[in-house]
Amino acid sequence: MKQKRNIIMITDGDEYAKRAVEHAAKEIGGRCISASYGNPAKVDGPELVRLIKSAANDPVLVMFDDSGLVGEGAGETMMKYVADHEDINLLGIVAVASKTRQAEWTKVDVCIDREGNLTERGVDKFGIPEMDVGRINGDTVYCIDTINAPIVVGIGDIGKMGKFDDIKIGSPITLSAVKLILERSGYLDR
């Protein structure tokens, strides 16, 4: 029996996100699929699964981005392909808030604001809590509700959030979101 690869999906893929996610992967002893970064990424679903399966160790952090396209863009199509693949065990999703022209939203289990506090309220791209409970607006979140993820953690714009998640200070909000998924998914209990 093949062992499934444990992954965390992250719904952002710009250069700031790439640096923050690579740092988080290093901090947790995992791997980041850097080839999946871009707006949108230059790889397709089958190639992404191949890269995940060839990663040195788990957990594998994978970025998805669709450049704010309305509806299901390339990032979301890849997310669904990867999540449904028989060789993948999805630990959770870091859902990244953004300011979209046509607001798309998704349900989240919990958010982490830019101060590092857990909140039931959604957050905006700056990591500031909003009025909505249990949802965020973003641009690569269209399909999250259709994916069976154990936990969805909402955060502001990775690597940014008004410098509260800057790589120069270790991207603490991104790292907290990844660690929260590892804890709540049961991955750390193995």
Side-chain angles (χ1 to χ4, degrees):
M1 184 172 103
K2 288 189 269 185
Q3 185 173 352
K4 292 187 174 195
R5 298 306 304 265
N6 296 293
I7 73 162
I8 296 173
M9 293 180 161
I10 299 167
T11 67
D12 196 1
D14 65 15
E15 186 63 39
Y16 291 94
K18 179 178 178 275
R19 289 192 298 257
V21 173
E22 287 173 342
H23 173 76
K26 182 178 174 187
E27 288 293 309
I28 63 166
R31 290 291 185 260
C32 170
I33 303 298
S34 298
S36 72
Y37 108 97
N39 294 342
K42 309 292 187 277
V43 296
D44 63 8
E47 174 68 6
L48 195 50
V49 168
R50 188 190 68 71
L51 291 169
I52 291 167
K53 289 168 65 172
S54 69
N57 54 295
D58 289 357
V60 182
L61 308 185
V62 188
M63 294 170 281
F64 298 87
D65 203 318
D66 71 1
S67 303
L69 297 175
V70 176
E72 187 173 305
E76 285 124 346
T77 300
M78 280 198 312
M79 284 177 71
K80 286 168 53 174
Y81 180 88
V82 171
D84 291 339
H85 198 279
E86 63 182 5
D87 296 333
I88 300 297
N89 178 41
L90 177 60
L91 300 175
I93 300 173
V94 177
V96 178
S98 66
K99 186 172 185 167
T100 60
R101 288 181 223 78
Q102 289 84 13
E104 292 178 354
W105 61 274
T106 190
K107 296 175 194 163
V108 293
D109 296 299
V110 66
C111 285
I112 302 175
D113 71 17
R114 70 192 207 169
E115 302 285 342
N117 302 308
L118 295 181
T119 177
E120 66 179 359
R121 297 192 178 281
V123 294
D124 67 11
K125 69 180 284 177
F126 300 104
I128 298 171
E130 296 194 308
M131 296 304 294
D132 291 327
V133 173
R135 68 181 243 177
I136 65 161
N137 292 318
D139 65 10
T140 310
V141 300
Y142 184 77
C143 72
I144 289 177
D145 293 345
T146 68
I147 295 174
N148 186 20
I151 181 170
V152 179
V153 178
I155 65 172
D157 203 355
I158 291 184
K160 300 173 191 167
M161 291 180 240
K163 297 192 179 188
F164 283 79
D165 197 47
D166 196 299
I167 190 64
K168 291 177 185 169
I169 58 170
S171 299
I173 309 307
T174 300
L175 184 57
S176 292
V178 168
K179 286 181 174 179
L180 183 63
I181 288 172
L182 293 177
E183 175 188 317
R184 294 209 180 163
S185 69
Y187 180 81
L188 298 177
D189 298 334
R190 297 173 188 183

Coordinates of all heavy atoms in Angstrom, one line a residue, residues 6-10 28 59-64 89-94 177-179 181-182:
N6 N 1.2 14.0 3.0 CA 0.5 14.9 3.9 C 0.8 16.3 3.4 O 1.9 16.8 3.4 CB 0.9 14.8 5.3 CG 0.5 13.4 5.9 OD1 -0.7 13.1 6.0 ND2 1.5 12.6 6.2
I7 N -0.3 17.1 3.0 CA -0.1 18.4 2.5 C -1.0 19.4 3.2 O -2.0 19.1 3.8 CB -0.3 18.5 0.9 CG1 -1.8 18.4 0.6 CG2 0.5 17.4 0.2 CD1 -2.2 18.9 -0.8
I8 N -0.5 20.7 3.1 CA -1.3 21.9 3.5 C -1.4 22.7 2.3 O -0.4 23.1 1.6 CB -0.6 22.6 4.6 CG1 -0.6 21.8 5.9 CG2 -1.4 23.9 4.9 CD1 0.2 22.4 7.1
M9 N -2.6 23.1 1.9 CA -2.8 24.0 0.7 C -2.9 25.4 1.2 O -3.4 25.7 2.3 CB -4.2 23.7 0.1 CG -4.3 22.4 -0.6 SD -5.9 22.1 -1.3 CE -5.5 20.8 -2.5
I10 N -2.3 26.3 0.4 CA -2.2 27.8 0.8 C -2.7 28.5 -0.5 O -2.1 28.4 -1.6 CB -0.8 28.2 1.2 CG1 -0.4 27.3 2.4 CG2 -0.7 29.7 1.4 CD1 1.0 27.3 2.8
I28 N 9.0 24.0 10.1 CA 8.3 22.9 10.6 C 9.0 21.5 10.2 O 8.5 20.5 10.5 CB 6.8 22.9 10.2 CG1 6.7 22.8 8.7 CG2 6.1 24.1 10.8 CD1 5.4 22.5 8.1
P59 N 5.4 17.5 6.4 CA 4.3 17.9 5.5 C 4.8 18.8 4.3 O 5.8 19.5 4.4 CB 3.3 18.7 6.4 CG 4.2 19.3 7.4 CD 5.4 18.3 7.6
V60 N 4.0 18.7 3.2 CA 4.3 19.5 2.0 C 3.4 20.7 2.0 O 2.2 20.5 2.0 CB 4.2 18.6 0.8 CG1 4.7 19.4 -0.4 CG2 5.1 17.4 0.9
L61 N 3.9 21.9 1.8 CA 3.1 23.1 1.7 C 3.0 23.4 0.2 O 4.1 23.5 -0.4 CB 3.8 24.2 2.5 CG 4.1 24.0 4.0 CD1 4.6 25.2 4.6 CD2 2.9 23.4 4.7
V62 N 1.8 23.6 -0.2 CA 1.6 23.8 -1.7 C 0.8 25.1 -1.9 O -0.3 25.3 -1.3 CB 0.8 22.6 -2.3 CG1 0.8 22.8 -3.8 CG2 1.5 21.3 -1.9
M63 N 1.3 26.0 -2.7 CA 0.6 27.3 -3.0 C -0.3 27.1 -4.3 O 0.1 26.5 -5.2 CB 1.7 28.4 -3.3 CG 2.5 28.7 -2.0 SD 3.9 29.8 -2.5 CE 5.1 28.6 -3.1
F64 N -1.4 27.9 -4.2 CA -2.3 27.9 -5.3 C -2.8 29.4 -5.5 O -3.1 30.0 -4.5 CB -3.6 27.0 -5.0 CG -3.3 25.6 -4.9 CD1 -2.9 25.1 -3.6 CD2 -3.3 24.7 -5.9 CE1 -2.6 23.7 -3.5 CE2 -3.0 23.4 -5.8 CZ -2.7 22.9 -4.6
N89 N -3.1 13.2 1.3 CA -3.8 13.4 2.5 C -3.8 14.9 2.9 O -2.8 15.4 3.2 CB -3.2 12.6 3.7 CG -4.0 12.8 5.0 OD1 -5.2 12.8 5.0 ND2 -3.2 12.9 6.0
L90 N -4.9 15.5 2.7 CA -5.0 17.0 3.0 C -5.2 17.2 4.4 O -6.2 16.8 5.0 CB -6.2 17.6 2.2 CG -6.5 19.1 2.4 CD1 -5.2 19.9 2.0 CD2 -7.7 19.5 1.6
L91 N -4.2 17.9 5.0 CA -4.3 18.2 6.5 C -5.1 19.5 6.7 O -5.7 19.6 7.8 CB -2.8 18.5 7.0 CG -1.9 17.3 6.9 CD1 -0.5 17.7 7.3 CD2 -2.4 16.1 7.7
G92 N -5.1 20.4 5.8 CA -5.9 21.7 6.0 C -5.5 22.7 4.9 O -4.7 22.4 4.1
I93 N -6.2 23.8 5.0 CA -6.1 24.9 4.0 C -5.8 26.2 4.8 O -6.6 26.5 5.7 CB -7.3 25.0 3.1 CG1 -7.6 23.7 2.4 CG2 -7.2 26.2 2.2 CD1 -8.9 23.7 1.6
V94 N -4.8 26.9 4.3 CA -4.7 28.3 4.8 C -5.3 29.2 3.7 O -4.9 29.3 2.6 CB -3.2 28.7 4.9 CG1 -3.0 30.2 5.3 CG2 -2.5 27.8 5.9
A177 N -0.4 29.8 11.3 CA -1.5 29.2 10.6 C -1.1 27.7 10.2 O -1.9 26.8 10.4 CB -1.9 29.9 9.3
V178 N 0.1 27.5 9.8 CA 0.6 26.2 9.4 C 0.7 25.3 10.7 O 0.2 24.2 10.7 CB 1.9 26.3 8.7 CG1 2.6 24.9 8.6 CG2 1.7 27.0 7.3
K179 N 1.2 25.9 11.7 CA 1.3 25.1 13.0 C -0.1 24.7 13.5 O -0.3 23.6 14.1 CB 2.1 25.9 14.0 CG 3.6 25.9 13.7 CD 4.3 26.7 14.8 CE 5.8 26.6 14.6 NZ 6.6 27.4 15.6
I181 N -2.8 24.2 11.8 CA -3.3 23.1 11.0 C -2.6 21.8 11.4 O -3.3 20.7 11.6 CB -3.1 23.4 9.5 CG1 -4.1 24.5 9.1 CG2 -3.3 22.1 8.7 CD1 -3.9 25.0 7.7
L182 N -1.3 21.8 11.6 CA -0.7 20.6 12.0 C -1.2 20.0 13.4 O -1.4 18.8 13.6 CB 0.9 20.8 12.1 CG 1.6 21.1 10.8 CD1 3.0 21.4 11.1 CD2 1.4 19.9 9.8

